[in-house]
Coordinates of all heavy atoms in Angstrom, one line a residue:
M216 N 16.2 1.7 -9.6 CA 15.8 0.5 -8.9 C 16.9 0.0 -8.0 O 18.0 0.0 -8.4 CB 15.3 -0.6 -9.8 CG 14.8 -1.8 -9.1 SD 14.2 -3.1 -10.2 CE 15.7 -3.7 -10.9
S217 N 16.5 -0.5 -6.8 CA 17.5 -1.1 -6.0 C 16.9 -2.3 -5.3 O 15.7 -2.4 -5.2 CB 18.0 -0.1 -4.9 OG 17.0 0.3 -4.1
T218 N 17.8 -3.1 -4.8 CA 17.4 -4.3 -4.1 C 17.5 -4.0 -2.6 O 18.6 -3.6 -2.1 CB 18.2 -5.6 -4.5 OG1 18.0 -5.8 -5.9 CG2 17.7 -6.8 -3.7
T219 N 16.5 -4.2 -1.8 CA 16.5 -4.1 -0.4 C 16.0 -5.4 0.3 O 15.5 -6.3 -0.4 CB 15.6 -2.9 0.1 OG1 14.3 -3.2 -0.3 CG2 16.1 -1.6 -0.5
T220 N 16.2 -5.5 1.5 CA 15.8 -6.7 2.2 C 14.6 -6.4 3.2 O 14.7 -5.5 4.0 CB 17.0 -7.3 3.0 OG1 18.0 -7.6 2.1 CG2 16.6 -8.6 3.7
L221 N 13.6 -7.1 3.0 CA 12.4 -7.1 3.9 C 12.1 -8.5 4.4 O 12.1 -9.4 3.6 CB 11.2 -6.5 3.2 CG 11.2 -5.1 2.8 CD1 10.0 -4.8 1.8 CD2 11.1 -4.2 4.0
T222 N 11.9 -8.6 5.7 CA 11.6 -9.9 6.3 C 12.7 -10.9 5.9 O 12.3 -12.1 5.7 CB 10.2 -10.4 6.1 OG1 10.0 -10.7 4.7 CG2 9.2 -9.4 6.6
G223 N 13.9 -10.5 5.7 CA 15.0 -11.4 5.4 C 15.0 -11.8 3.9 O 15.8 -12.6 3.5
T224 N 14.2 -11.2 3.1 CA 14.1 -11.5 1.6 C 14.5 -10.3 0.8 O 14.0 -9.2 1.0 CB 12.7 -12.0 1.3 OG1 12.3 -13.0 2.2 CG2 12.6 -12.5 -0.2
P225 N 15.4 -10.5 -0.2 CA 15.7 -9.4 -1.1 C 14.5 -9.1 -2.1 O 13.9 -10.0 -2.6 CB 16.9 -9.9 -1.9 CG 17.0 -11.4 -1.7 CD 16.1 -11.7 -0.5
V226 N 14.2 -7.8 -2.2 CA 13.1 -7.4 -3.1 C 13.6 -6.2 -3.9 O 14.4 -5.4 -3.4 CB 11.8 -7.0 -2.3 CG1 11.2 -8.3 -1.6 CG2 12.0 -5.9 -1.3
D227 N 13.0 -6.0 -5.0 CA 13.3 -4.8 -5.9 C 12.3 -3.7 -5.6 O 11.1 -3.9 -5.7 CB 13.2 -5.3 -7.4 CG 14.2 -6.4 -7.7 OD1 15.3 -6.3 -7.2 OD2 13.8 -7.3 -8.5
R228 N 12.9 -2.5 -5.3 CA 12.1 -1.4 -5.0 C 12.7 -0.2 -5.7 O 13.9 -0.1 -5.9 CB 12.0 -1.1 -3.5 CG 11.3 -2.2 -2.8 CD 10.7 -1.9 -1.4 NE 11.6 -1.5 -0.4 CZ 11.3 -1.1 0.8 NH1 10.0 -0.9 1.1 NH2 12.2 -0.8 1.7
D229 N 11.9 0.8 -6.0 CA 12.4 2.1 -6.6 C 12.9 3.0 -5.6 O 13.0 2.7 -4.4 CB 11.3 2.7 -7.5 CG 10.1 3.3 -6.7 OD1 10.2 3.5 -5.4 OD2 9.1 3.6 -7.3
A230 N 13.4 4.2 -6.0 CA 14.0 5.1 -5.1 C 13.1 5.6 -3.9 O 13.6 5.9 -2.9 CB 14.5 6.3 -5.9
E231 N 11.8 5.5 -4.1 CA 10.9 5.9 -3.1 C 10.4 4.8 -2.2 O 9.6 5.0 -1.3 CB 9.7 6.6 -3.7 CG 10.0 8.0 -4.3 CD 8.8 8.6 -4.9 OE1 8.0 9.2 -4.1 OE2 8.6 8.6 -6.1
G232 N 10.9 3.6 -2.5 CA 10.5 2.4 -1.7 C 9.3 1.6 -2.2 O 8.9 0.7 -1.5
F233 N 8.8 1.9 -3.4 CA 7.7 1.2 -4.0 C 8.2 -0.1 -4.7 O 9.3 0.0 -5.4 CB 6.9 2.0 -5.0 CG 6.1 3.1 -4.3 CD1 6.7 4.4 -4.1 CD2 4.8 2.9 -3.9 CE1 6.0 5.4 -3.5 CE2 4.1 3.9 -3.3 CZ 4.7 5.2 -3.1
F234 N 7.5 -1.2 -4.6 CA 7.9 -2.4 -5.2 C 7.9 -2.2 -6.7 O 6.9 -1.6 -7.3 CB 7.0 -3.5 -4.9 CG 7.3 -4.2 -3.6 CD1 7.3 -3.5 -2.4 CD2 7.6 -5.6 -3.5 CE1 7.6 -4.2 -1.2 CE2 7.9 -6.2 -2.3 CZ 7.9 -5.5 -1.2
T235 N 8.8 -2.8 -7.4 CA 8.8 -2.8 -8.9 C 8.3 -4.1 -9.4 O 7.8 -4.2 -10.6 CB 10.2 -2.5 -9.5 OG1 11.1 -3.5 -9.0 CG2 10.7 -1.1 -9.1
D236 N 8.2 -5.1 -8.5 CA 7.7 -6.4 -8.9 C 6.7 -6.8 -7.8 O 7.2 -7.4 -6.7 CB 8.8 -7.4 -9.1 CG 8.3 -8.8 -9.4 OD1 7.0 -9.0 -9.5 OD2 9.1 -9.7 -9.6
P237 N 5.4 -6.6 -7.9 CA 4.4 -6.9 -6.9 C 4.4 -8.4 -6.5 O 4.0 -8.7 -5.3 CB 3.1 -6.5 -7.5 CG 3.4 -5.5 -8.5 CD 4.8 -5.9 -9.1
S238 N 4.9 -9.3 -7.3 CA 4.9 -10.7 -6.9 C 5.9 -11.0 -5.8 O 5.8 -12.1 -5.2 CB 5.1 -11.6 -8.2 OG 6.5 -11.4 -8.6
Q239 N 6.8 -10.1 -5.5 CA 7.8 -10.4 -4.5 C 7.2 -10.1 -3.1 O 7.8 -10.5 -2.1 CB 9.0 -9.5 -4.7 CG 9.8 -9.8 -5.9 CD 11.0 -8.9 -6.1 OE1 10.9 -7.7 -5.8 NE2 12.1 -9.5 -6.6
W240 N 6.0 -9.4 -3.0 CA 5.5 -8.9 -1.8 C 4.8 -10.0 -0.9 O 4.2 -11.0 -1.5 CB 4.4 -7.9 -2.1 CG 3.7 -7.2 -0.9 CD1 4.2 -6.2 -0.2 CD2 2.5 -7.6 -0.4 NE1 3.3 -5.8 0.8 CE2 2.2 -6.7 0.7 CE3 1.5 -8.6 -0.7 CZ2 1.0 -6.8 1.4 CZ3 0.4 -8.6 0.1 CH2 0.1 -7.8 1.1
T241 N 4.9 -9.9 0.4 CA 4.1 -10.7 1.3 C 3.5 -9.8 2.3 O 3.9 -8.7 2.5 CB 5.0 -11.8 2.1 OG1 5.9 -11.0 2.9 CG2 5.8 -12.6 1.1
E242 N 2.5 -10.3 3.0 CA 1.8 -9.5 4.1 C 2.8 -9.2 5.2 O 2.7 -8.1 5.7 CB 0.6 -10.2 4.6 CG -0.6 -10.2 3.6 CD -1.9 -10.7 4.2 OE1 -2.0 -11.0 5.4 OE2 -2.9 -10.7 3.4
A243 N 3.7 -10.1 5.5 CA 4.7 -9.7 6.5 C 5.6 -8.6 6.1 O 5.9 -7.7 6.9 CB 5.6 -11.0 6.8
M244 N 5.9 -8.5 4.8 CA 6.6 -7.3 4.3 C 5.8 -6.1 4.5 O 6.3 -5.0 4.8 CB 7.0 -7.5 2.8 CG 8.0 -8.6 2.6 SD 8.3 -8.8 0.9 CE 9.4 -10.2 0.9
G245 N 4.5 -6.2 4.2 CA 3.6 -5.0 4.4 C 3.6 -4.5 5.8 O 3.6 -3.3 6.0
E246 N 3.6 -5.4 6.7 CA 3.6 -5.0 8.1 C 4.9 -4.3 8.5 O 5.0 -3.3 9.2 CB 3.4 -6.3 9.0 CG 2.0 -6.8 8.9 CD 1.9 -8.2 9.6 OE1 2.9 -8.7 10.1 OE2 0.7 -8.7 9.6
E247 N 6.0 -4.8 7.9 CA 7.4 -4.2 8.1 C 7.4 -2.7 7.5 O 7.9 -1.8 8.1 CB 8.5 -5.0 7.6 CG 9.9 -4.5 7.9 CD 11.0 -5.5 7.4 OE1 10.8 -6.7 7.5 OE2 12.0 -4.9 7.1
I248 N 6.9 -2.6 6.3 CA 6.8 -1.3 5.6 C 5.9 -0.3 6.4 O 6.3 0.8 6.6 CB 6.3 -1.4 4.2 CG1 7.3 -2.3 3.4 CG2 6.1 -0.1 3.6 CD1 6.8 -2.7 2.0
A249 N 4.8 -0.8 7.0 CA 3.9 0.0 7.8 C 4.6 0.5 9.0 O 4.6 1.7 9.3 CB 2.7 -0.8 8.2
R250 N 5.4 -0.3 9.7 CA 6.1 0.1 10.9 C 7.1 1.2 10.5 O 7.3 2.2 11.2 CB 6.8 -1.1 11.6 CG 5.8 -1.9 12.4 CD 6.5 -3.0 13.2 NE 7.3 -3.9 12.5 CZ 6.8 -5.0 11.9 NH1 5.6 -5.3 12.0 NH2 7.7 -5.8 11.3
E251 N 7.9 1.0 9.4 CA 8.8 1.9 8.9 C 8.2 3.3 8.6 O 8.8 4.3 8.6 CB 9.5 1.4 7.6 CG 10.5 0.3 7.8 CD 11.0 -0.3 6.5 OE1 10.6 0.1 5.4 OE2 11.8 -1.3 6.6
S252 N 6.9 3.2 8.2 CA 6.2 4.4 7.8 C 5.4 5.0 8.9 O 4.6 5.9 8.7 CB 5.2 4.0 6.6 OG 5.9 3.5 5.5
G253 N 5.6 4.5 10.1 CA 4.9 5.2 11.3 C 3.6 4.6 11.7 O 2.9 5.1 12.5
I254 N 3.2 3.4 11.1 CA 2.0 2.7 11.5 C 2.4 1.5 12.2 O 2.8 0.5 11.6 CB 1.1 2.4 10.3 CG1 0.8 3.7 9.5 CG2 -0.2 1.6 10.7 CD1 0.1 3.4 8.2
P255 N 2.3 1.5 13.6 CA 2.8 0.4 14.3 C 2.1 -1.0 14.1 O 2.7 -2.0 14.2 CB 2.8 0.8 15.8 CG 1.9 2.0 15.8 CD 1.8 2.6 14.4
T256 N 0.8 -0.9 13.9 CA 0.0 -2.1 13.8 C -1.1 -1.9 12.7 O -1.7 -0.9 12.6 CB -0.8 -2.4 15.1 OG1 0.2 -2.5 16.2 CG2 -1.6 -3.7 15.0
L257 N -1.2 -2.9 11.8 CA -2.2 -2.8 10.8 C -3.5 -3.5 11.2 O -3.4 -4.7 11.6 CB -1.7 -3.5 9.5 CG -0.5 -2.8 8.8 CD1 0.0 -3.6 7.6 CD2 -1.0 -1.4 8.3
T258 N -4.5 -2.7 11.3 CA -5.8 -3.2 11.7 C -6.6 -3.9 10.5 O -6.1 -3.8 9.4 CB -6.7 -2.1 12.3 OG1 -7.0 -1.2 11.2 CG2 -6.0 -1.4 13.4
D259 N -7.7 -4.5 10.8 CA -8.5 -5.1 9.7 C -8.9 -4.0 8.7 O -9.0 -4.3 7.5 CB -9.8 -5.7 10.3 CG -9.5 -7.0 11.0 OD1 -8.4 -7.6 10.8 OD2 -10.4 -7.4 11.8
R260 N -9.2 -2.8 9.2 CA -9.5 -1.7 8.2 C -8.4 -1.3 7.3 O -8.5 -1.1 6.2 CB -10.0 -0.4 9.0 CG -11.3 -0.6 9.8 CD -12.4 -0.8 8.8 NE -13.1 0.4 8.5 CZ -14.2 0.5 7.7 NH1 -14.8 -0.5 7.3 NH2 -14.7 1.7 7.4
H261 N -7.1 -1.3 7.9 CA -6.0 -1.1 7.1 C -5.9 -2.1 6.0 O -5.7 -1.8 4.8 CB -4.7 -1.2 7.9 CG -4.4 0.0 8.8 ND1 -4.6 0.0 10.1 CD2 -3.9 1.2 8.5 CE1 -4.3 1.1 10.6 NE2 -3.8 1.9 9.7
W262 N -6.0 -3.4 6.4 CA -5.9 -4.5 5.4 C -7.0 -4.5 4.4 O -6.8 -4.8 3.2 CB -5.9 -5.9 6.2 CG -4.6 -6.2 6.8 CD1 -4.3 -6.3 8.1 CD2 -3.3 -6.4 6.1 NE1 -2.9 -6.5 8.3 CE2 -2.3 -6.6 7.0 CE3 -3.0 -6.4 4.7 CZ2 -1.0 -6.8 6.7 CZ3 -1.6 -6.6 4.4 CH2 -0.7 -6.8 5.4
Q263 N -8.2 -4.0 4.8 CA -9.3 -3.9 3.8 C -8.9 -3.0 2.7 O -9.1 -3.3 1.5 CB -10.5 -3.3 4.5 CG -11.7 -3.2 3.6 CD -13.0 -2.7 4.5 OE1 -13.0 -2.8 5.7 NE2 -13.9 -2.1 3.8
V264 N -8.3 -1.8 3.0 CA -7.8 -0.8 2.0 C -6.6 -1.4 1.2 O -6.6 -1.3 0.0 CB -7.4 0.5 2.7 CG1 -6.8 1.5 1.7 CG2 -8.7 1.1 3.4
I265 N -5.6 -2.0 1.9 CA -4.4 -2.5 1.3 C -4.8 -3.6 0.3 O -4.3 -3.6 -0.9 CB -3.4 -3.0 2.3 CG1 -2.9 -1.9 3.1 CG2 -2.3 -3.8 1.6 CD1 -2.2 -2.3 4.4
R266 N -5.7 -4.5 0.7 CA -6.1 -5.6 -0.2 C -6.9 -5.0 -1.4 O -6.7 -5.5 -2.6 CB -6.8 -6.6 0.5 CG -5.9 -7.4 1.5 CD -6.7 -8.6 2.2 NE -5.7 -9.2 3.1 CZ -5.9 -9.3 4.4 NH1 -7.0 -8.7 5.0 NH2 -5.0 -9.9 5.1
Y267 N -7.7 -4.0 -1.2 CA -8.5 -3.4 -2.3 C -7.5 -2.8 -3.3 O -7.6 -3.0 -4.5 CB -9.5 -2.4 -1.8 CG -10.2 -1.8 -2.9 CD1 -11.3 -2.4 -3.5 CD2 -9.8 -0.6 -3.4 CE1 -11.9 -1.9 -4.6 CE2 -10.5 0.0 -4.5 CZ -11.5 -0.7 -5.1 OH -12.1 -0.1 -6.2
M268 N -6.5 -2.0 -2.8 CA -5.5 -1.4 -3.6 C -4.8 -2.4 -4.5 O -4.6 -2.3 -5.7 CB -4.5 -0.6 -2.8 CG -5.0 0.7 -2.2 SD -5.1 2.0 -3.3 CE -3.5 2.4 -3.7
R269 N -4.3 -3.4 -3.8 CA -3.5 -4.5 -4.4 C -4.3 -5.2 -5.5 O -3.9 -5.4 -6.6 CB -3.0 -5.4 -3.4 CG -1.9 -6.3 -3.9 CD -1.2 -7.0 -2.7 NE -0.5 -8.1 -3.3 CZ 0.7 -8.0 -3.9 NH1 1.3 -6.8 -4.0 NH2 1.3 -9.1 -4.4
D270 N -5.5 -5.6 -5.1 CA -6.4 -6.4 -6.1 C -6.7 -5.6 -7.3 O -6.7 -6.0 -8.4 CB -7.7 -6.8 -5.4 CG -7.5 -7.9 -4.3 OD1 -6.4 -8.6 -4.3 OD2 -8.4 -8.2 -3.6
T271 N -7.0 -4.3 -7.1 CA -7.3 -3.4 -8.2 C -6.1 -3.3 -9.1 O -6.3 -3.4 -10.3 CB -7.8 -2.0 -7.7 OG1 -9.0 -2.2 -6.9 CG2 -8.1 -1.1 -8.9
Y272 N -5.0 -3.1 -8.5 CA -3.7 -2.9 -9.3 C -3.5 -4.2 -10.1 O -3.2 -4.2 -11.3 CB -2.5 -2.6 -8.5 CG -1.3 -2.6 -9.3 CD1 -1.0 -1.4 -10.1 CD2 -0.4 -3.7 -9.4 CE1 0.1 -1.4 -10.9 CE2 0.7 -3.6 -10.2 CZ 1.0 -2.5 -11.0 OH 2.1 -2.5 -11.8
L273 N -3.6 -5.4 -9.5 CA -3.3 -6.6 -10.1 C -4.3 -7.0 -11.2 O -3.9 -7.6 -12.2 CB -3.2 -7.8 -9.1 CG -2.0 -7.7 -8.1 CD1 -2.1 -8.8 -7.0 CD2 -0.7 -7.7 -8.8
N274 N -5.5 -6.5 -11.1 CA -6.6 -6.8 -12.1 C -6.6 -5.8 -13.2 O -7.1 -6.2 -14.3 CB -7.9 -6.9 -11.4 CG -8.0 -8.2 -10.5 OD1 -7.5 -9.2 -10.9 ND2 -8.7 -8.0 -9.4
T275 N -6.2 -4.6 -12.9 CA -6.4 -3.5 -14.0 C -5.0 -2.9 -14.5 O -5.0 -2.3 -15.5 CB -7.2 -2.4 -13.5 OG1 -6.5 -1.7 -12.4 CG2 -8.6 -2.9 -12.9
G276 N -4.0 -3.1 -13.7 CA -2.7 -2.5 -14.0 C -2.5 -1.1 -13.5 O -1.5 -0.5 -13.7
S277 N -3.5 -0.6 -12.8 CA -3.3 0.7 -12.2 C -4.0 0.7 -10.8 O -5.0 0.1 -10.6 CB -3.8 1.8 -13.1 OG -5.2 1.8 -13.3
A278 N -3.5 1.5 -9.9 CA -4.1 1.7 -8.6 C -5.2 2.6 -8.6 O -5.2 3.6 -9.5 CB -3.0 2.1 -7.6
P279 N -6.2 2.5 -7.8 CA -7.3 3.4 -7.8 C -7.0 4.8 -7.2 O -6.0 4.9 -6.4 CB -8.4 2.7 -6.9 CG -7.6 1.9 -6.0 CD -6.4 1.4 -6.8
S280 N -7.7 5.8 -7.7 CA -7.5 7.2 -7.1 C -8.0 7.2 -5.7 O -8.8 6.3 -5.3 CB -8.2 8.2 -8.0 OG -9.6 8.0 -7.9
I281 N -7.7 8.3 -5.0 CA -8.2 8.4 -3.6 C -9.7 8.5 -3.6 O -10.4 7.9 -2.8 CB -7.6 9.6 -2.9 CG1 -8.0 9.7 -1.5 CG2 -7.9 10.9 -3.6 CD1 -7.4 8.6 -0.6
R282 N -10.3 9.1 -4.6 CA -11.8 9.2 -4.7 C -12.4 7.8 -4.9 O -13.3 7.5 -4.2 CB -12.2 10.2 -5.8 CG -13.7 10.2 -6.1 CD -14.0 11.2 -7.1 NE -14.9 12.2 -6.4 CZ -15.0 13.4 -6.7 NH1 -14.4 13.9 -7.7 NH2 -15.8 14.2 -6.1
T283 N -11.9 7.1 -5.8 CA -12.4 5.7 -6.1 C -12.1 4.8 -4.8 O -13.0 4.1 -4.5 CB -11.7 5.1 -7.3 OG1 -11.9 5.9 -8.4 CG2 -12.2 3.7 -7.6
L284 N -11.0 5.0 -4.2 CA -10.6 4.2 -3.1 C -11.7 4.5 -2.0 O -12.1 3.5 -1.3 CB -9.2 4.6 -2.6 CG -8.6 3.8 -1.4 CD1 -8.5 2.3 -1.8 CD2 -7.2 4.3 -1.1
G285 N -12.0 5.7 -1.7 CA -13.0 6.1 -0.7 C -14.4 5.6 -1.0 O -15.1 5.2 -0.1
K286 N -14.7 5.5 -2.3 CA -16.1 5.0 -2.6 C -16.1 3.5 -2.7 O -17.1 2.8 -2.2 CB -16.5 5.6 -4.0 CG -16.8 7.0 -3.9 CD -17.3 7.5 -5.3 CE -17.7 9.0 -5.2 NZ -18.2 9.5 -6.4
A287 N -15.1 2.8 -3.3 CA -15.2 1.4 -3.6 C -14.6 0.5 -2.5 O -15.0 -0.7 -2.5 CB -14.6 1.1 -4.9
S288 N -13.7 1.0 -1.7 CA -13.1 0.1 -0.7 C -14.0 -0.2 0.5 O -13.7 -1.1 1.3 CB -11.8 0.7 -0.2 OG -12.0 1.8 0.6
G289 N -15.0 0.7 0.7 CA -15.8 0.5 1.9 C -15.3 1.4 3.1 O -15.8 1.3 4.2
V290 N -14.2 2.1 2.9 CA -13.7 3.0 3.9 C -13.7 4.4 3.4 O -13.2 4.8 2.4 CB -12.2 2.6 4.2 CG1 -11.6 3.5 5.3 CG2 -12.1 1.1 4.6
P291 N -14.5 5.3 4.1 CA -14.7 6.7 3.7 C -13.4 7.4 3.7 O -12.4 7.1 4.4 CB -15.6 7.3 4.7 CG -16.2 6.1 5.5 CD -15.2 5.0 5.4
I292 N -13.3 8.4 2.8 CA -12.1 9.2 2.6 C -11.5 9.8 3.9 O -10.3 9.7 4.2 CB -12.2 10.3 1.6 CG1 -12.4 9.7 0.2 CG2 -11.1 11.3 1.6 CD1 -12.7 10.7 -0.9
K293 N -12.4 10.3 4.8 CA -12.0 10.8 6.1 C -11.2 9.8 6.9 O -10.2 10.0 7.5 CB -13.2 11.4 6.8 CG -12.8 12.1 8.1 CD -14.0 12.7 8.8 CE -13.6 13.4 10.1 NZ -14.7 14.0 10.7
E294 N -11.8 8.6 6.9 CA -11.1 7.5 7.7 C -9.8 7.1 7.0 O -8.9 6.7 7.7 CB -12.1 6.3 7.8 CG -11.5 5.2 8.7 CD -12.5 4.0 8.9 OE1 -13.6 4.1 8.4 OE2 -12.0 3.0 9.4
L295 N -9.8 7.1 5.7 CA -8.5 6.8 5.0 C -7.4 7.6 5.4 O -6.3 7.1 5.7 CB -8.7 6.9 3.4 CG -9.6 5.9 2.7 CD1 -9.8 6.3 1.3 CD2 -9.0 4.5 2.8
Y296 N -7.7 8.9 5.6 CA -6.6 9.8 6.1 C -6.2 9.6 7.5 O -5.1 9.8 8.0 CB -7.0 11.3 5.9 CG -6.7 11.7 4.5 CD1 -7.7 11.7 3.5 CD2 -5.5 12.2 4.1 CE1 -7.5 12.1 2.2 CE2 -5.2 12.6 2.8 CZ -6.2 12.6 1.9 OH -6.0 13.0 0.6
Q297 N -7.1 9.0 8.3 CA -6.8 8.6 9.7 C -6.0 7.4 9.7 O -5.0 7.3 10.5 CB -8.1 8.4 10.5 CG -8.9 9.7 10.8 CD -10.3 9.4 11.3 OE1 -10.8 8.3 11.3 NE2 -10.9 10.5 11.8
L298 N -6.3 6.4 8.8 CA -5.5 5.2 8.8 C -4.2 5.3 8.2 O -3.2 4.7 8.6 CB -6.3 4.1 8.0 CG -7.6 3.6 8.6 CD1 -8.4 2.8 7.5 CD2 -7.4 2.8 9.8
F299 N -4.1 6.2 7.1 CA -2.9 6.4 6.4 C -2.5 7.8 6.3 O -2.8 8.5 5.2 CB -3.0 5.8 4.9 CG -3.3 4.3 4.9 CD1 -4.7 3.9 4.8 CD2 -2.3 3.3 5.0 CE1 -5.0 2.5 4.7 CE2 -2.7 2.0 5.0 CZ -4.0 1.6 4.9
P300 N -2.0 8.4 7.3 CA -1.7 9.9 7.3 C -0.7 10.2 6.2 O 0.1 9.3 5.7 CB -1.1 10.1 8.7 CG -1.4 8.9 9.5 CD -1.6 7.8 8.6
K301 N -0.8 11.4 5.7 CA 0.2 11.9 4.7 C 0.0 11.2 3.3 O 0.9 10.9 2.6 CB 1.6 11.7 5.1 CG 2.0 12.4 6.4 CD 3.4 12.1 6.8 CE 3.7 12.6 8.2 NZ 4.9 12.1 8.8
G302 N -1.3 10.9 2.9 CA -1.5 10.4 1.6 C -1.9 8.9 1.6 O -1.1 8.1 1.5
P303 N -3.2 8.6 1.8 CA -3.7 7.3 1.9 C -3.4 6.4 0.6 O -2.9 5.3 0.8 CB -5.2 7.4 2.0 CG -5.4 8.8 2.5 CD -4.3 9.6 2.0
A304 N -3.6 6.9 -0.6 CA -3.4 6.0 -1.7 C -1.9 5.7 -1.9 O -1.5 4.5 -2.1 CB -3.9 6.7 -3.0
K305 N -1.1 6.7 -1.7 CA 0.4 6.4 -1.8 C 0.9 5.5 -0.8 O 1.6 4.5 -1.1 CB 1.1 7.8 -1.7 CG 2.6 7.8 -2.0 CD 3.2 9.2 -2.0 CE 4.6 9.2 -2.2 NZ 5.2 10.5 -2.2
L306 N 0.5 5.7 0.5 CA 1.0 4.9 1.6 C 0.4 3.5 1.5 O 1.2 2.5 1.7 CB 0.7 5.5 2.9 CG 1.3 4.9 4.2 CD1 2.8 4.7 4.0 CD2 1.1 5.7 5.4
A307 N -0.8 3.3 1.2 CA -1.5 2.0 1.1 C -0.8 1.2 -0.1 O -0.6 0.0 0.0 CB -3.0 2.1 0.9
A308 N -0.5 1.9 -1.2 CA 0.2 1.3 -2.3 C 1.6 0.8 -1.9 O 2.0 -0.4 -2.2 CB 0.3 2.2 -3.5
K309 N 2.3 1.6 -1.1 CA 3.7 1.2 -0.7 C 3.6 0.0 0.2 O 4.3 -1.0 0.0 CB 4.3 2.4 0.0 CG 5.8 2.1 0.4 CD 6.4 3.2 1.1 CE 6.9 4.2 0.1 NZ 7.8 5.3 0.7
I310 N 2.7 0.0 1.2 CA 2.5 -1.1 2.1 C 2.0 -2.3 1.4 O 2.4 -3.4 1.7 CB 1.6 -0.7 3.3 CG1 2.2 0.4 4.1 CG2 1.2 -1.9 4.1 CD1 1.2 1.1 5.1
G311 N 1.2 -2.1 0.4 CA 0.6 -3.2 -0.4 C 1.5 -3.8 -1.4 O 1.1 -4.7 -2.2
G312 N 2.7 -3.3 -1.6 CA 3.7 -3.9 -2.5 C 3.4 -3.6 -4.0 O 3.7 -4.5 -4.8
I313 N 2.7 -2.5 -4.3 CA 2.5 -2.2 -5.7 C 3.2 -0.9 -6.1 O 3.5 -0.1 -5.2 CB 1.0 -2.1 -6.0 CG1 0.3 -1.0 -5.2 CG2 0.3 -3.4 -5.8 CD1 -1.2 -0.7 -5.5
P314 N 3.4 -0.6 -7.3 CA 4.0 0.7 -7.7 C 3.2 1.9 -7.3 O 2.0 1.8 -7.0 CB 4.1 0.6 -9.3 CG 4.0 -0.9 -9.6 CD 3.1 -1.5 -8.5
K315 N 3.9 3.0 -7.2 CA 3.3 4.3 -6.8 C 2.2 4.6 -7.8 O 2.3 4.5 -9.0 CB 4.4 5.4 -6.9 CG 3.9 6.7 -6.5 CD 5.1 7.7 -6.5 CE 4.7 9.1 -6.4 NZ 5.9 10.0 -6.4
P316 N 1.0 5.0 -7.2 CA -0.1 5.3 -8.1 C 0.1 6.5 -8.9 O 0.8 7.5 -8.5 CB -1.3 5.6 -7.1 CG -0.9 4.9 -5.9 CD 0.6 4.9 -5.8
R317 N -0.3 6.5 -10.2 CA -0.2 7.7 -11.0 C -1.0 8.9 -10.3 O -2.0 8.7 -9.8 CB -0.8 7.5 -12.4 CG 0.1 6.7 -13.3 CD -0.5 6.5 -14.6 NE -1.5 5.4 -14.3 CZ -1.9 4.5 -15.2 NH1 -1.6 4.7 -16.5 NH2 -2.8 3.6 -14.9
G318 N -0.4 10.0 -10.4 CA -1.1 11.2 -9.9 C -0.6 11.5 -8.4 O -0.9 12.6 -7.9
C319 N 0.1 10.6 -7.8 CA 0.6 10.8 -6.4 C 1.9 11.5 -6.6 O 2.8 11.2 -7.4 CB 0.8 9.5 -5.7 SG -0.8 8.8 -5.1
I320 N 2.1 12.5 -5.7 CA 3.3 13.3 -5.7 C 4.4 12.6 -4.9 O 4.1 12.1 -3.8 CB 3.1 14.8 -5.2 CG1 2.1 15.4 -6.2 CG2 4.3 15.5 -5.2 CD1 1.6 16.8 -5.7

């Protein structure tokens, strides 16, 4: 674990950049992480997925799988890959300030 600075605030993240304490996250930090990850602007569809991922994690203690994400978030799997290239569940979790989902490489 290391402390990094996002939007001028120190936060605890693991070696891959995932938050270790989701309570430190803000939407402005999510926007900064998205830009660092190659997504210049987060659209309403991005936020729909990010908020679903975050809410699920905060309520259950684990992030949804890509299959569940595609069915329950209201955004089809094909579109998830367009919104979050290179692994939607992993990238949405990182942007959303939650730990890396189990099963993600």
Side-chain angles (χ1 to χ4, degrees):
M216 180 177 73
S217 65
T218 301
T219 59
T220 302
L221 289 169
T222 65
T224 305
V226 295
D227 299 321
R228 300 201 291 175
D229 68 15
E231 293 182 77
F233 289 88
F234 276 61
T235 57
D236 180 358
S238 70
Q239 295 179 323
W240 181 85
T241 66
E242 288 191 2
M244 289 176 186
E246 291 170 356
E247 187 173 325
I248 295 165
R250 284 190 299 275
E251 290 172 357
S252 301
I254 300 173
T256 305
L257 293 174
T258 65
D259 288 342
R260 293 295 269 184
H261 286 102
W262 282 115
Q263 182 177 339
V264 173
I265 293 163
R266 289 183 182 118
Y267 178 81
M268 288 284 290
R269 190 168 167 79
D270 289 346
T271 300
Y272 176 80
L273 294 175
N274 289 323
T275 67
S277 65
S280 68
I281 185 69
R282 173 175 243 154
T283 302
L284 187 59
K286 289 183 178 184
S288 71
V290 178
I292 290 177
K293 183 175 180 179
E294 186 179 352
L295 288 172
Y296 278 94
Q297 293 169 344
L298 293 169
F299 301 96
K301 302 176 190 167
K305 186 175 177 180
L306 188 51
K309 184 180 278 188
I310 293 168
I313 61 173
K315 182 177 168 180
R317 279 179 286 206
C319 285
I320 299 171

